[in-house]
Amino acid sequence: MKRKLTFLAATTFMAFTLIFQTSANTATSTVQSCQGQCQRAFQGCMSSAKSNGEQGRCNQAYQGCVASCKSD
């Protein structure tokens, strides 16, 4: 149960990061900052992931986060 809650918290953090970044400016420094936030959220998610399925979801969320940084 603790693992699921930790994974949920990491996923929620990544979602809030995506929401915040979609409202940010599109300057180059913002893109770099966005990618840094994606990387930090990904690392937190991976550190709490205990199964291959959870790691896959972390990777998918990370890829979506990075893609949103580039599309801004």
Side-chain angles (χ1 to χ4, degrees):
M1 184 67 175
K2 183 179 177 183
R3 288 184 223 162
K4 289 181 181 179
L5 289 176
T6 304
F7 179 73
L8 179 62
T11 305
T12 304
F13 174 74
M14 289 182 80
F16 282 123
T17 301
L18 287 172
I19 291 168
F20 174 75
Q21 288 303 318
T22 56
S23 64
N25 291 335
T26 59
T28 304
S29 62
T30 302
V31 172
Q32 291 173 351
S33 174
C34 177
Q35 290 176 349
Q37 288 179 356
C38 292
Q39 182 65 32
R40 286 188 295 278
F42 174 71
Q43 290 172 348
C45 184
M46 288 299 284
S47 69
S48 66
K50 302 299 180 193
S51 71
N52 288 340
E54 289 176 349
Q55 291 174 351
R57 286 189 290 273
C58 292
N59 191 35
Q60 287 177 336
Y62 174 72
Q63 295 300 323
C65 183
V66 171
S68 73
C69 292
K70 293 178 182 178
S71 67
D72 282 343

